[in-house]
């Protein structure tokens, strides 16, 4: 679909005034009234309201794991999905009065499960007379007031995002998602909601949406030349005073950005990825921030604004609909205006309630279709393979990803200038519960091995650069002296490095000495049985997240791109299994790397 002006500006009010004024409730909140007079000795007028928030829903409507094809469960027995959230929302609205509540989200809505994948790719919402996205249906039924854009909103391209936006009964906000040509907001930057009070004047609540600048890198193929994403702080500094001058009594920011002040893409763009705390600290006039992106649980966290000394409340509910944030605001009428007297937050756990039948009934057909889709048999496997120990051992199931990637890249480069170079491949253990069973292999088995919608690239690296790359990856292990017992539960994820930011590279052999400090752990790095030549050139088959700077690995983002593909790696694996008919680990599995201490293998 061509990106003309009309489709680009979409249905949002972004281009013009950049605001959607929406009426709140009709019913007055009598229960919240504490007196009406202006006279001496009379109590001041007060009003309280609640803003509920979700984030990083990632395509979860049902409490269901499509990769295992059973009810979702984890070690803490969390539950997921909008059907559970809906029950919590109904309870809060009943308690507070619907008129005294708002419902918002902080992004990453339409990517993450096979449910959301199905309606982007298999039965796409963009087709003529196509379906309505399940996330739009569920969020409309729940009655969201606004949602910020997440970076994963852009994974399927702008046409899918625009169609989703059109299907939502609420605005998708992104004050720092700008049209690359006009530098004007490409989506509505904010929305202003009016809360009726029992005391005359309405309370005007402004919701400002901010998204993640990393989109420019992670989804370069979809946004390059179309949209630009400046920093959250600079756009908040532009819009918050404007919202206050328009009469906003309360300003809430919904930010698809974590709280840590760090970035995973290094210095590739001059903006901070996890900037929510910085926004609170640097931009005066904000009352609360709904935090997203980091997949952490922050029930209540206060940041002091450097200019005003005022405390701003931040909260991040846990991903996938595991938690619902409640911001509670108490206002008092002072000198002719509403002033926030107190703001606090908490989170509710969705595992305490049943799914809302209204939501599960609404989307029962979509759920059934996707379950049937993921259970299609695509081949067989001679033996069971699992990722249970893949975070510390070279396992055949990770070799499977690498062999598919390396073969795909070799075929793509055949007959070209780089055809003679050796092809290496990187892969991560994305999920410690993925498995390929012995016997029938289904789409869900293959897809569970690669839960992200990453695509494949080929980059040119030298032997010396590969050593740096592996040293960087090896920081994932906690330094453990020789002779000290190794507990696998405490061995990995050093400095909070997630599993997806640890890469195993196939096509080389090496040891990782976990007794040594970071930067000098890679030992006996060899290619075809000989120590690696620092100047030799290699092709690395690498996913687009890593190639574009995700995880901040050295060299790869700046390396020459030899080839890139728009097909998801997950689908490439599915197609490979279908073409082969059977998966036989004995044909491709090899132990290329191992953990050692002073030359002695750990396992």
């Amino acid at each position: 679909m061509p990106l003309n002006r009309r489709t680009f500006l979409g249905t949002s009010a972004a281009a013009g005034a950049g605001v959607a004024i929406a009426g709140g409730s009709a019913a007055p909140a009598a229960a919240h009234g504490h007196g009406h007079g202006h006279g001496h000795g009379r109590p001041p007028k007060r009003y309280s309201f609640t803003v509920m928030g979700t984030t990083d829903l990632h395509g979860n409507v049902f409490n269901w794991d499509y990769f295992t094809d059973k009810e979702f469960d984890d070690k803490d027995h969390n539950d997921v999905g909008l059907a559970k959230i809906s029950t919590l929302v109904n309870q809060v609205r009943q308690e507070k009065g619907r008129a005294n509540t708002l419902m918002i989200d902080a992004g990453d809505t339409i990517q993450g499960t096979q449910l959301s994948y199905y309606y982007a790719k298999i039965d796409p919402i963009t087709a003529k007379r196509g379906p309505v996205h399940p996330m739009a249906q569920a969020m409309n039924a729940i009655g969201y007031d606004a949602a910020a854009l997440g970076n994963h909103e852009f994974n399927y391209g702008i046409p899918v995002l625009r169609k989703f936006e059109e299907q939502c009964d609420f605005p998708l906000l992104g004050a720092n998602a700008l049209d690359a040509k006009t530098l004007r907001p490409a989506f509505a930057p904010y929305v202003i909601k009016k809360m009726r009070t029992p005391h005359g004047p309405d309370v005007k609540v402004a919701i400002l949406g901010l998204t993640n600048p990393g989109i420019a890198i992670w989804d370069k193929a979809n946004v390059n030349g179309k949209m630009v994403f400046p920093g959250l702080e600079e756009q908040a500094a532009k819009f918050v005073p404007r919202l206050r001058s328009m009469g906003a009594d309360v300003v809430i920011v919904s930010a698809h950005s974590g709280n840590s002040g760090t970035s995973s893409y290094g210095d590739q763009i001059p903006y901070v990825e996890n900037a929510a705390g910085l926004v609170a600290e640097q931009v005066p006039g904000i009352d609360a921030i709904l935090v997203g992106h980091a997949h952490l649980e922050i029930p209540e966290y206060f940041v002091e604004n450097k200019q005003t000394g005022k405390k701003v409340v931040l909260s991040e509910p846990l991903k996938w609909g595991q938690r619902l944030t409640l911001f509670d605001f108490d206002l008092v009428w002072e000198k002719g205006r509403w002033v926030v007297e107190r703001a606090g937050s908490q989170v509710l756990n969705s595992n305490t309630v049943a799914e809302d039948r209204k939501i599960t009934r609404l989307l029962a057909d979509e759920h059934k279709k996707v379950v049937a889709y993921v259970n299609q048999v695509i081949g067989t496997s001679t033996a069971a393979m699992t990722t249970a120990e893949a975070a510390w051992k070279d396992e055949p199931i990770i070799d499977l990803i690498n062999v598919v990637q390396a073969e795909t890249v070799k075929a793509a480069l055949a007959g070209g200038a780089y055809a003679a170079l050796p092809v290496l491949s990187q892969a991560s253990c994305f999920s410690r519960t993925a498995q390929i069973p012995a016997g029938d292999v289904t789409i869900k088995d293959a897809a569970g091995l690669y839960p992200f919608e990453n695509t494949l690239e080929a980059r040119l690296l030298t032997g010396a650069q590969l050593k740096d790359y592996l040293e960087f990856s090896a920081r994932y292990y906690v330094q453990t002296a020789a002779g000290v017992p190794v507990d696998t539960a405490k061995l990995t994820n050093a400095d909070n490095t997630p599993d997806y930011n640890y890469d195993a590279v196939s096509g080389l052999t090496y040891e990782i000495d976990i007794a040594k400090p970071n930067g000098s752990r890679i030992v006996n790095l060899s290619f075809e049985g000989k120590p690696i030549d620092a100047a030799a050139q290699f092709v690395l088959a690498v996913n687009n997240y890593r190639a574009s700077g995700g995880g901040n690995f050295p060299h790869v983002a700046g390396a020459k791109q030899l080839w890139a593909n728009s097909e998801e790696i997950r689908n490439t694996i599915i197609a490979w299994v279908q073409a082969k008919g059977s998966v036989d680990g004995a044909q491709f599995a090899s132990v290329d790397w191992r953990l050692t201490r002073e030359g002695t293998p750990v396992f």
Side-chain angles (χ1 to χ4, degrees), residues 31 149 229:
L149 293 163
F229 301 88

Side-chain angles (χ1 to χ4, degrees), residues 50 73 125 135 207 213 230 236 307 328 368 371 379 394 439-440 467 475 486 489 494 510 579 587:
T50 298
D73 196 26
I125 60 171
M135 294 304 283
I207 301 151
Q307 284 181 47
D328 289 306
K368 241 187 245 143
V371 168
D394 186 349
D440 284 351
K467 180 163 192 304
R475 304 180 322 159
V486 173
Y510 57 98
Q587 292 183 350

Side-chain angles (χ1 to χ4, degrees), residues 385-393 395 397-398 429 431-436 449 476 488 492 499:
M385 296 186 277
T386 161
T387 53
E389 299 188 325
W392 55 87
K393 281 186 190 168
E395 292 282 21
I397 196 164
I398 303 296
C429 173
S431 156
R432 297 195 187 188
T433 56
Q435 51 191 338
I436 301 284
L449 188 53
Y476 171 76
T488 54
T492 60
D499 291 349

Side-chain angles (χ1 to χ4, degrees), residues 44 135 235 274 296 466 486 526 531 539 580:
M135 294 304 283
Q235 290 302 101
N274 295 302
L296 297 172
L466 282 160
V486 173
S526 307
V539 177
K580 291 266 190 263

Side-chain angles (χ1 to χ4, degrees), residues 26-304:
H32 292 258
H34 298 289
H36 297 254
H38 283 287
H40 291 290
R42 293 198 185 163
K45 297 175 181 178
R46 295 183 185 281
Y47 176 69
S48 299
F49 72 98
T50 298
V51 177
M52 297 174 279
T54 50
T55 190
D56 296 277
L57 291 167
H58 284 287
N60 285 283
V61 173
F62 295 82
N63 185 39
W64 195 260
D65 182 344
Y66 293 95
F67 293 130
T68 59
D69 197 23
K70 50 179 190 267
E71 199 172 326
F72 177 89
D73 196 26
D74 64 10
K75 66 180 191 313
D76 301 317
H77 302 300
N78 287 304
D79 288 346
V80 299
L82 279 169
K84 291 258 178 177
I85 290 294
S86 185
T87 303
L88 290 175
V89 168
N90 292 339
Q91 288 177 358
V92 173
R93 284 174 176 159
Q94 200 166 356
E95 185 197 333
K96 313 268 183 188
R98 177 158 187 160
N100 307 309
T101 65
L102 293 172
M103 180 76 197
I104 64 174
D105 183 83
D108 276 5
T109 306
I110 60 169
Q111 175 279 337
T113 61
Q114 290 295 86
L115 179 73
S116 51
Y117 177 80
Y118 189 87
Y119 288 98
K121 294 285 195 173
I122 309 298
D123 183 11
I125 60 171
T126 45
K128 234 191 186 131
R129 289 197 281 280
V132 177
H133 200 289
M135 294 304 283
Q137 291 192 56
M139 292 170 88
N140 289 343
I142 290 167
Y144 273 77
D145 293 289
L149 293 163
N151 49 289
H152 285 283
E153 260 61 87
F154 293 85
N155 286 174
Y156 297 120
I158 291 169
V160 169
L161 174 54
R162 286 298 186 196
K163 188 68 188 177
F164 174 68
E165 180 188 30
E166 202 180 290
Q167 293 177 343
C168 291
D169 297 341
F170 51 91
L172 300 184
L173 306 177
N176 61 331
L178 310 181
D179 180 315
K181 291 182 182 63
T182 65
L183 298 186
R184 296 177 71 160
F187 294 84
Y190 55 83
V191 62
I192 293 178
K193 308 293 284 189
K194 289 179 179 174
M195 313 294 286
R196 279 275 168 88
T197 78
H199 313 296
D202 293 341
V203 173
K204 279 183 162 181
V205 183
I207 301 151
L208 176 68
L210 297 168
T211 191
N212 205 291
I215 295 164
I217 290 175
W218 305 318
D219 263 308
K220 191 175 173 182
N222 289 325
V223 300
N224 205 16
K226 297 172 188 167
M227 292 190 199
V228 292
F229 301 88
L232 287 90
E233 308 97 304
E234 68 173 71
Q235 290 302 101
K238 194 169 137 181
F239 279 100
V240 173
R242 191 183 296 181
L243 293 168
R244 288 290 181 186
S245 71
M246 288 166 65
D249 301 299
V250 182
V251 173
I252 299 163
V253 174
S254 182
H256 192 76
S257 180
N259 186 42
S260 63
T262 59
S263 284
S264 70
Y265 44 67
D267 53 7
Q268 291 176 273
I269 51 176
Y271 310 118
V272 177
E273 176 183 352
N274 295 302
L278 298 173
V279 170
E281 197 178 82
Q282 295 173 17
V283 181
I286 296 167
D287 294 294
I289 301 183
L290 178 66
V291 179
H293 185 60
H295 291 199
L296 297 172
E297 181 173 341
I298 305 173
E300 182 182 63
Y301 179 78
F302 289 95
V303 174
E304 194 172 296

